């Protein structure tokens, strides 16, 4: 149970709610943002003292019934409720560290998709499997270190982005997505040194990451499209589809261009260059 993170998360969710969201009058004397602690306690059917101690990181582990009451009181989404249980240590965990091994069938699948960029991401946002078109779009993945294959580091650390092929036009949309996913992973794998060290590194070296981290968001918005600025073929806008691989807590990400579009032609040109049928330039 991570008492400090649990308390910070509860406070962040409480402060985002308006009294009207839960059927309460605003009141002229209200000075604090969001709901009051006593209001959450009443809605959750627990004592104000116990809820206050939870937010302050001083309470013992809450029961599943208490967490259910808090979930309802704070109007948590499914993703937020899962995160709450992770922080409280009541969620079932399959392993102490995240899985970086990829099923052979998934590797075979992305290799059979010559017209699509296919990569597999670990829970820590490391690219752990890829096809040839993935290399063409994202750079030399086989020759990169695990740290340089990490999309979170590419998104927030300029020195990593410069030495990898990571010029993405819509990074502002991607960054909150990364932080939300990493916060969930950090709670699920609280003792994983790779995730713990990654978060510490990004918080220390990126003000943007640290600002987003302190928002405690755990439900990322889906990324529908993404535009890459490729050094050889120019900009490519692709559809982005993510398939969850829940048995290993991984994501299969596919980038495809709409048939008949100029982006499809550019992606095909990139495939031809990669295959060696056409020399660059």
């Amino acid at each position: 149970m991570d008492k400090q993170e649990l308390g910070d998360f509860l406070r962040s969710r409480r402060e985002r709610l308006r009294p009207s969201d839960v059927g309460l009058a605003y009141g002229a004397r209200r000075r604090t943002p969001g709901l009051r602690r006593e209001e959450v306690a009443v809605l959750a059917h627990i004592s104000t003292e116990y809820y206050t101690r939870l937010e302050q990181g001083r309470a013992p582990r809450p029961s599943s019934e208490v967490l259910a009451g808090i979930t309802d009181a704070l109007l948590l989404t499914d993703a937020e409720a899962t995160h709450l249980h992770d922080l409280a240590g009541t969620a079932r965990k399959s392993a102490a560290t995240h899985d970086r091994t990829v099923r052979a069938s998934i590797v075979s699948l992305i290799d059979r998709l010559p017209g699509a960029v296919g990569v597999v991401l670990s829970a820590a946002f490391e690219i752990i499997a890829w096809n040839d078109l993935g290399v063409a779009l994202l750079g030399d993945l086989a020759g990169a270190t695990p740290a340089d294959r990490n999309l979170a580091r590419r998104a927030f650390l300029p020195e990593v982005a410069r030495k990898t092929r990571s010029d993405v036009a819509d990074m502002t949309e991607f960054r909150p997505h990364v932080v939300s996913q990493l916060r969930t992973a950090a709670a699920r794998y609280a003792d994983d040194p790779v995730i713990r060290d990654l978060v510490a590194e990004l918080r220390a070296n990126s003000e943007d990451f640290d600002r987003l981290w302190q928002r405690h968001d755990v439900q990322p918005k889906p990324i529908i499209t993404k535009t890459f600025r490729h050094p050889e073929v120019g900009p490519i806008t692709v559809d982005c589809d993510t398939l969850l691989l829940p048995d290993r807590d991984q994501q299969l990400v596919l980038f495809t261009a709409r048939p008949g579009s100029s982006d499809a032609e550019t992606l095909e040109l990139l495939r031809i260059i990669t295959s060696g049928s056409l020399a660059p330039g």
Side-chain angles (χ1 to χ4, degrees), residues 1-8 54 57 61 86-89 186-187 190:
M1 175 178 173
D2 192 329
K3 292 186 177 182
Q4 185 61 51
E5 283 291 327
L6 175 62
D8 290 346
L54 276 174
R61 174 176 289 140
D86 283 335
L87 292 175

Side-chain angles (χ1 to χ4, degrees), residues 32-242:
T32 58
L35 299 181
R36 298 188 179 104
R37 287 171 174 167
E38 56 266 29
E39 292 169 337
V40 175
V42 169
L43 292 169
H45 306 291
I46 58 178
S47 71
T48 300
E49 179 186 3
Y50 181 65
Y51 180 78
T52 299
R53 292 174 65 196
L54 276 174
E55 278 202 7
Q56 293 174 344
R58 299 187 297 111
R61 174 176 289 140
S63 67
S64 296
E65 291 76 17
V66 167
L67 292 177
I70 292 174
T71 295
D72 292 339
L74 294 177
L75 305 182
L76 300 185
T77 65
D78 288 343
E80 289 170 334
T82 298
H83 186 63
L84 177 65
H85 279 270
D86 283 335
L87 292 175
T90 60
R92 194 175 171 187
K93 299 180 181 180
S94 58
T97 59
H98 71 290
D99 196 337
R100 296 179 66 257
T101 61
V102 184
R103 290 204 314 267
S105 59
I106 297 297
V107 175
S108 177
L109 172 64
I110 60 177
D111 282 342
R112 295 198 303 269
L113 300 172
V117 174
V119 298
V120 177
L121 302 180
S122 73
F125 267 91
E126 180 192 342
I127 302 174
I128 51 178
W130 54 86
N131 60 8
D132 289 343
L133 201 51
V135 172
L137 187 65
L138 300 171
D140 182 11
L141 296 172
T145 65
D148 287 344
R149 286 200 302 268
N150 189 284
L151 294 188
R153 299 181 84 251
R154 290 188 178 201
F156 286 99
L157 302 181
E159 64 274 17
V160 176
R162 278 195 297 270
K163 66 179 179 179
T164 59
R165 193 172 292 166
S166 302
D167 192 4
V168 180
D170 43 6
M171 196 64 81
T172 301
E173 181 183 6
F174 181 58
R175 284 171 177 162
H177 176 88
V178 170
V179 176
S180 295
Q181 296 273 60
L182 273 183
R183 180 166 278 287
T184 299
R188 184 173 298 137
Y189 304 103
D191 297 324
D192 190 322
V194 173
I195 295 177
R196 184 177 61 244
D197 292 348
L198 174 64
V199 171
E201 177 189 9
L202 293 175
R203 293 195 70 181
N205 294 284
S206 172
E207 292 183 1
D208 193 22
F209 182 91
D210 190 58
R211 175 183 58 81
L212 292 169
W213 185 261
Q214 294 185 56
R215 285 168 44 175
H216 290 267
D217 290 338
V218 293
Q219 189 164 21
K221 294 181 180 179
I223 305 297
I224 306 301
T225 62
K226 187 175 290 294
T227 300
F228 293 87
R229 300 188 186 100
H230 195 276
E232 295 175 1
V233 298
I236 310 175
T237 298
V238 292
D239 294 325
C240 180
D241 292 290
T242 301

